[in-house]
């Protein structure tokens, strides 16, 4: 997917020290100034009914914000980018870019990209997305390995811990624009689920964090 050149956040963000991937940090971080809130985002058990992934797939079983926090997923709603900047400083994010996922932005590549995003995968970095416009769904695995769907729209910010299995899709409107934040250079490296990835160091560290949460 083509994305605009990344932007470096203004000082003092650039003064935050980097952390090499070889140092495994605690997977779940709590914010001092931004307590998690699910006042806006709706989360529920995925209904697992065969069909278009972009449908709501709402089983009617609501998942609380506290339950999301227990698996390391943090959610916020910010009307101002100033709040996003403050959170970026808090968590050590120095770079950002913006992506638009829609047929008009991606042309013939759109359907293939959406299918790629929907493959179950994990990252070795925390994933943080701030929705600038549109709507989509993040699906994450619960403690018992069931899918939980989180609906995101403009102003929502979601943080997924390194090592959590998840996937993403647009909704039936086929449009979302989001800001991605990074500690280092912008990248998106998915590790699709398989037995080898199950033994990934970031995955095992994440699972250990659940046992003590």
């Amino acid at each position: 997917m083509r994305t605009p050149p990344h932007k470096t956040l203004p000082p003092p963000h650039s003064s935050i020290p980097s952390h090499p991937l070889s140092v495994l940090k605690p997977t779940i971080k709590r914010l001092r100034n931004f307590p998690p809130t699910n006042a806006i985002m709706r989360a529920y058990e995925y209904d697992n009914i065969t069909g278009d992934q972009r449908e709501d797939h709402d089983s009617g079983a609501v998942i609380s914000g506290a339950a999301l926090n227990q698996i390391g997923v943090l959610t916020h709603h910010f009307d101002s980018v100033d709040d996003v900047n403050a959170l970026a400083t808090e968590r050590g994010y120095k770079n950002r870019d913006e992506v638009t996922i829609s047929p008009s932005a991606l042309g013939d590549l759109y359907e293939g990209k959406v299918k790629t995003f929907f493959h179950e995968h994990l990252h070795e970095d925390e994933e943080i997305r701030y929705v600038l416009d549109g709507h989509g769904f993040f699906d994450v695995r619960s403690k018992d390995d069931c899918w939980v769907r989180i609906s995101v729209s403009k102003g929502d910010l979601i943080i997924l811990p390194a090592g959590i299995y998840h996937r993403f899709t647009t909704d039936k409107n086929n449009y979302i624009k989001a800001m991605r934040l990074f500690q280092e250079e912008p990248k998106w490296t998915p590790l699709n689920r398989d037995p080898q990835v199950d033994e990934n160091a970031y995955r095992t560290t994440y699972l250990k964090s659940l046992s003590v949460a």
Side-chain angles (χ1 to χ4, degrees), residues 4 12 18 23 28 32 35 50 56 62 67 76 81 87 93 95-96 102 107 124 144 152 165 171 176-177 210:
S18 61
V23 179
I28 301 177
R32 292 191 298 272
T50 302
D56 289 348
V62 176
H76 305 271
V81 175
L87 184 144
Y93 286 90
N95 295 303
R96 66 179 61 177
S102 69
E124 293 183 336
D144 55 2
V152 297
Y165 281 125
D171 71 351
I176 192 169
K177 181 178 181 180
L210 297 184

Side-chain angles (χ1 to χ4, degrees), residues 90-123:
E90 177 78 16
R91 297 188 82 82
Y93 286 90
K94 297 179 291 187
N95 295 303
R96 66 179 61 177
D97 66 9
E98 295 179 3
V99 294
T100 300
I101 304 171
S102 69
S104 61
L106 299 175
D108 293 339
L109 297 177
Y110 173 74
E111 291 294 338
K113 287 293 184 182
V114 170
K115 290 179 181 178
T116 296
F117 296 149
F118 203 62
H119 288 155
E120 183 174 2
H121 63 277
L122 62 76
H123 302 293

Side-chain angles (χ1 to χ4, degrees), residues 69-80:
N69 298 160
Q70 288 174 3
I71 59 172
V73 176
L74 306 180
T75 61
H76 305 271
H77 185 84
F78 294 140
D79 292 322
S80 170

Side-chain angles (χ1 to χ4, degrees), residues 165-179:
Y165 281 125
H166 64 283
R167 61 192 183 187
F168 171 80
T169 185
T170 50
D171 71 351
K172 293 179 292 183
N173 292 316
N174 295 303
Y175 170 73
I176 192 169
K177 181 178 181 180
M179 178 189 298

